[in-house]
Amino acid sequence: MKTVPTEASVEQFIASVQHAGRREDAEALLGIMRGITGAKAVMWCDSLIGYGSYEYVRADGSKHAFFVTGFSPRKANMSLYLMSGCSNHAEKLKTLGPHKHSVSCLYVGRLAKIDTEVLKDVIRDDIAAMRETYPALTL
């Protein structure tokens, strides 16, 4: 598995984000995620900022760890990771504002264009769903 926690500085990574708006939003998300999780932000590989961890077993029987929630300031948008799956949050996401999503990734442009209170609720709900599925997760 390539996505593993590193010792890299989250603050240095965010400071290196070229897009000023994405950098500003990443700094805001640091505070939002810290307030919700109570956990320290950790760099996972070279561009993912994660909080907490859980262990899961793949179909081949191999065990892996991943973060419980997190985000990445990408060039095109901010990617937020809802590990229980975006479909679990469909009703609330209808009121979020402009976004796109895949299975576990929520993509937003700027935080100013979405309802951050809805986003906070979605993140809290996602963590609660992850706790149900993975009671041993750490935050």
Side-chain angles (χ1 to χ4, degrees):
M1 181 95 169
K2 294 179 184 179
T3 308
V4 295
T6 72
E7 296 295 321
S9 167
V10 171
E11 291 77 13
Q12 285 180 349
F13 169 67
I14 290 175
S16 75
V17 173
Q18 291 184 354
H19 186 283
R22 197 85 58 237
R23 186 172 54 250
E24 179 182 303
D25 285 353
E27 290 169 353
L29 279 171
L30 275 179
I32 289 170
M33 293 277 195
R34 174 72 175 182
I36 292 170
T37 67
K40 178 184 175 198
V42 173
M43 290 300 303
W44 286 67
C45 66
D46 61 352
S47 64
L48 304 175
I49 300 167
Y51 296 81
S53 66
Y54 70 101
E55 189 173 88
Y56 65 96
V57 180
R58 287 188 172 174
D60 67 3
S62 61
K63 291 183 181 179
H64 299 276
F66 206 72
F67 54 78
V68 177
T69 191
F71 67 95
S72 183
R74 305 284 189 190
K75 283 185 181 182
N77 50 48
M78 184 68 73
S79 299
L80 293 108
Y81 299 93
L82 303 176
M83 302 314 298
S84 77
C86 291
S87 62
N88 291 335
H89 311 288
E91 286 305 308
K92 285 188 180 174
L93 290 177
K94 288 178 184 177
T95 64
L96 179 66
H99 71 280
K100 294 180 182 178
H101 64 83
S102 62
V103 175
S104 294
C105 293
L106 175 66
Y107 308 105
V108 300
R110 293 296 313 272
L111 293 182
K113 294 185 177 184
I114 64 168
D115 186 331
T116 56
E117 292 306 312
V118 171
L119 179 62
K120 290 175 186 178
D121 285 345
V122 168
I123 294 167
R124 284 185 200 102
D125 290 351
D126 194 67
I127 293 169
M130 289 297 291
R131 281 190 196 284
E132 286 183 28
T133 305
Y134 302 97
L137 70 76
T138 59
L139 273 177

